[in-house]
Amino acid sequence: MEATSSTATHDLEKTQSKGSNVSNSSSTDVQQPYSEPKQGLMRTFFNTFKELEPSKEDADLLKNPDLSEAERREIALKNTPLQRGLKARHLQMIALGGSIGTGLFIGSGSALRTGGAASLSICWTIVGLLAFSTIHALGELTTAYPVSGAFSAHSTKFIEPSFGFAIGWNYAIFWMVVLPAEIIAASLTLQFWNDTINPVAWVTIFYVFVMSINLFGVRGYGEAEYIFTMIKMVAIIGFLILGIVLVCGGGPTHGFVGGMYYRNPGPFTHGFKGVCTVFITAAYSLGGSELIGVTGAEAANPRKTLPSAIKQVFWRIMLFYLGSLTLISLLVSSEDKRLLGTSSADAEASPFVIAINNGGVKVLPSIMNAVILISVLSVGNSAVFGCSRTLASLAAQGLAPKCFNYIDRMGRPIYGIAANGVVGLLCYCVASKHESTVFAWLMSLCGLATVLTWFSICVSHIRFRLAMKVQGRSLDELAFKSQAGFWGSVFCSVILVLVLCLQFWVSLYPIGAEKPDVTNFFQNYLGAFILLGFYVARKLYVRKLWEFTPLNEIKLDAGRSAVDIDLMHQEIAEERALLASKGFLYRTYKFWC
């Protein structure tokens, strides 16, 4: 108390001395009281980029020389100063439609052409089941361990650091490449209305737009995705209603469609190989679903908001993907020439636009094209968010340069955003005549990123459950349990390995090729070798062949969001009691959502 009083007195005397100097400096002017100069808006803005220092407690913890490398990683991840600014409504919208983009609206066209009408329902159903089980496994892990980077951090904790390093960098590179690809897709989408304007102008506008959103921090990302997803949801629900009307012959042409395209040209175009080829397109379209786990570290209350958001993934798969693609398979022929667009981003190659045009409906094709444009920008926005947070997580674990863990006062991993922005400048390749070739090889770097990321999530969940069992821990400790359970993750792991094997086959021997096609193989399978390269490179760097933590030595309480199990059970019991007091319809809604 005496020290505090002395300091305060000294500060007061110093202030009074300053005030005296000010008053004596001018004998003719009216004396004004001394006040600290106010900061202008620009200075205030630039100050937000200063690093947010960790708390003294966190800094003291990390200075402890007795900590192991794994324990340091846990502390650094748990205390990454990201802002918890995402509310329940943000998470729900991100879960429902945050990743709906070119994979669904445009990529489904190439899938229809390659595999046939029936392949859409078959492949998206199987991949949808994989996504459902994987996201539930991720939800269980993220609710228990809401750390920066989610699955890359979980891979490091439950599998080994080298595997977490490889998965994290593979995922970061995936989003780095997606950003310029989506910006180019947005610029080409506008050619649906006007193809006389140089696409470089649109690329510049969209690049500045996407990067600006992420400079507003996590709240900017959340609000943007909330608006984007609302528009996408309304558009897809409207398309579902319109599609049913058109199939039944209620459109302007009054022609009953039914299942005529299943009879001619038939349900499959290239047999079993065509169906196998569609699998990766389906996985790409559902890629980004795992972003709901990345948002866990920036959710206001992960234990309450994440489970509800995770459950809504089921409805996105069933309603938005399977529902709309089933109607597409009925309304558009797999032999339609318009599906053979010169660019994968060509809006006129979208089966959604083709279906509406076939029905003779005016104006709506332009509206759907506008929705495609918004969806493309939404995925670009998610790309910057996903990449920067993954890089921050890797840096916190010591698996990336420390600069990427620089979090500013607004909670932005600014160096990660900057790195994504630099790679995003590749969008100006749109001005080159070799643009399609450049991006074919860029996308090859991460063509299997979704499959490999889902595999890492499932394996992490399997080892988490096994560690719980070996250490005699009860599943009642978990605030959220995967509805697919342990065996759901086992099933997913097996099927994903099978998908990788089938993709190896169709990449080496593509449709119509009698001999191995080396170029096609590396354009479709290079991502697996990139992952293997990262894994081996770190092994050689650390010179540790075996880094797997035995199940009985995995520190299950380190990094947990709710270590006080009794308090958590009390909160859950109170929530269940409150739910039991509600009506039947509300209880049913909360069960599914």
Side-chain angles (χ1 to χ4, degrees):
M1 288 294 293
E2 290 179 1
T4 304
S5 177
S6 176
T7 303
T9 303
H10 175 72
D11 291 342
L12 179 60
E13 291 174 352
K14 185 177 180 181
T15 302
Q16 290 173 343
S17 175
K18 286 182 179 180
S20 177
N21 291 337
V22 172
S23 61
N24 292 334
S25 63
S26 176
S27 60
T28 57
D29 297 337
V30 178
Q31 295 183 358
Q32 299 292 338
Y34 174 79
S35 62
E36 292 290 338
K38 293 183 179 180
Q39 293 185 342
L41 290 176
M42 289 301 296
R43 181 177 292 275
T44 302
F45 172 72
F46 284 117
N47 281 343
T48 65
F49 291 94
K50 292 183 178 179
E51 185 174 11
L52 182 62
E53 297 293 337
S55 66
K56 187 177 184 301
E57 292 80 5
D58 297 339
D60 291 341
L61 279 174
L62 290 172
K63 290 178 182 177
N64 187 348
D66 299 327
L67 290 175
S68 66
E69 182 181 348
E71 289 171 331
R72 289 181 186 278
R73 273 198 305 266
E74 295 289 351
I75 294 172
L77 282 170
K78 182 113 175 38
N79 299 292
T80 298
L82 293 170
Q83 287 189 352
R84 295 189 177 274
L86 291 178
K87 299 180 180 179
R89 62 185 180 89
H90 297 138
L91 291 180
Q92 288 168 359
M93 285 297 154
I94 292 170
L96 277 172
S99 61
I100 294 177
T102 52
L104 173 64
F105 288 122
I106 297 176
S108 57
S110 64
L112 175 61
R113 185 184 69 247
T114 303
S119 69
L120 296 184
S121 299
I122 293 173
C123 293
W124 261 269
T125 297
I126 296 175
V127 175
L129 290 174
L130 298 179
F132 176 80
S133 298
T134 302
I135 302 308
H136 270 259
L138 178 60
E140 182 176 309
L141 290 171
T142 305
T143 304
Y145 304 93
V147 294
S148 170
F151 41 84
S152 74
H154 298 152
S155 295
T156 300
K157 180 182 179 71
F158 295 108
I159 305 177
E160 63 151 345
S162 292
F163 190 72
F165 171 80
I167 284 294
W169 274 104
N170 185 68
Y171 193 70
I173 291 173
F174 166 70
W175 283 122
M176 282 185 182
V177 174
V178 165
L179 174 61
E182 295 296 320
I183 291 175
I184 286 180
S187 67
L188 295 178
T189 298
L190 287 173
Q191 293 184 6
F192 180 85
W193 294 291
N194 189 333
D195 59 0
T196 61
I197 299 176
N198 192 326
V200 172
W202 297 121
V203 159
T204 302
I205 293 171
F206 295 139
Y207 176 84
V208 172
F209 176 74
V210 171
M211 296 306 298
S212 298
I213 289 177
N214 282 272
L215 289 180
F216 283 98
V218 67
R219 286 295 297 273
Y221 166 76
E223 292 295 344
E225 285 306 303
Y226 183 83
I227 296 171
F228 289 156
T229 301
M230 283 289 289
I231 295 172
K232 288 187 281 187
M233 285 174 57
V234 170
I236 293 178
I237 292 173
F239 177 80
L240 291 173
I241 297 172
L242 175 64
I244 293 173
V245 171
L246 294 177
V247 169
C248 296
T253 59
H254 300 292
F256 178 76
V257 178
M260 68 178 185
Y261 292 130
Y262 276 77
R263 295 187 295 271
N264 183 26
F268 302 101
T269 55
H270 294 98
F272 179 67
K273 182 176 285 189
V275 175
C276 292
T277 304
V278 173
F279 267 110
I280 294 300
T281 304
Y284 176 81
S285 73
L286 284 168
S289 302
E290 65 283 343
L291 269 178
I292 191 65
V294 177
T295 61
E298 297 176 74
N301 190 337
R303 188 190 69 76
K304 292 185 177 181
T305 56
L306 271 178
S308 178
I310 292 294
K311 290 179 183 178
Q312 293 180 13
V313 173
F314 171 80
W315 294 110
R316 184 182 70 186
I317 295 170
M318 291 299 297
L319 183 64
F320 296 160
Y321 283 90
L322 293 181
S324 61
L325 290 175
T326 298
L327 290 172
I328 287 296
S329 69
L330 293 171
L331 292 169
V332 182
S333 170
S334 59
E335 295 183 346
D336 195 305
K337 299 297 184 183
R338 288 168 293 181
L339 292 174
L340 302 174
T342 57
S343 168
S344 61
D346 188 349
E348 294 185 3
S350 169
F352 288 79
V353 176
I354 293 172
I356 296 173
N357 277 324
N358 287 349
V361 182
K362 306 297 183 182
V363 181
L364 283 184
S366 292
I367 295 176
M368 180 55 68
N369 195 63
V371 172
I372 294 173
L373 174 61
I374 291 171
S375 301
V376 168
L377 293 175
S378 172
V379 175
N381 184 38
S382 297
V384 180
F385 179 87
C387 176
S388 60
R389 271 60 180 182
T390 303
L391 288 175
S393 172
L394 289 169
Q397 299 172 68
L399 302 177
K402 291 181 63 175
C403 66
F404 288 120
N405 198 33
Y406 181 101
I407 311 297
D408 67 18
R409 294 179 181 180
M410 284 188 65
R412 298 169 298 200
I414 203 67
Y415 281 96
I417 294 174
N420 209 166
V422 170
V423 178
L425 293 173
L426 288 170
C427 62
Y428 285 99
C429 286
V430 72
S432 171
K433 62 180 180 181
H434 301 295
E435 169 256 327
S436 59
T437 303
V438 171
F439 275 93
W441 284 105
L442 281 175
M443 291 305 294
S444 70
L445 296 175
C446 50
L448 297 173
T450 299
V451 175
L452 295 170
T453 299
W454 289 3
F455 178 75
S456 74
I457 293 170
C458 292
V459 175
S460 296
H461 183 241
I462 291 170
R463 282 185 55 83
F464 168 66
R465 284 292 188 93
L466 290 176
M468 292 278 288
K469 183 177 181 181
V470 169
Q471 297 183 29
R473 306 289 288 267
S474 171
L475 295 182
D476 291 335
E477 298 178 15
L478 303 177
F480 172 76
K481 292 186 280 291
S482 166
Q483 292 182 357
F486 171 82
W487 292 108
S489 293
V490 173
F491 167 78
C492 279
S493 299
V494 173
I495 297 300
L496 288 170
V497 170
L498 180 61
V499 169
L500 288 172
C501 294
L502 291 175
Q503 181 64 14
F504 185 94
W505 171 52
V506 298
S507 297
L508 190 59
Y509 293 93
I511 294 172
E514 298 180 358
K515 297 180 180 180
D517 189 331
V518 178
T519 301
N520 184 79
F521 174 75
F522 280 105
Q523 284 186 345
N524 288 277
Y525 217 78
L526 185 60
F529 296 104
I530 295 294
L531 179 78
L532 182 62
F534 275 116
Y535 181 80
V536 173
R538 189 182 183 278
K539 285 292 184 186
L540 294 174
Y541 178 77
V542 299
R543 298 181 182 179
K544 293 180 181 179
L545 182 62
W546 186 262
E547 294 182 278
F548 284 90
T549 305
L551 294 174
N552 61 338
E553 296 180 12
I554 293 177
K555 298 184 181 300
L556 294 175
D557 288 330
R560 285 287 295 271
S561 61
V563 179
D564 190 340
I565 306 300
D566 293 334
L567 178 60
M568 184 187 71
H569 283 170
Q570 181 181 348
E571 291 178 352
I572 293 176
E574 291 174 356
E575 291 167 6
R576 288 175 177 173
L578 179 62
L579 181 62
S581 66
K582 301 294 183 179
F584 172 76
L585 293 178
Y586 182 81
R587 294 199 308 271
T588 303
Y589 167 77
K590 294 300 291 184
F591 175 80
W592 289 105
C593 301

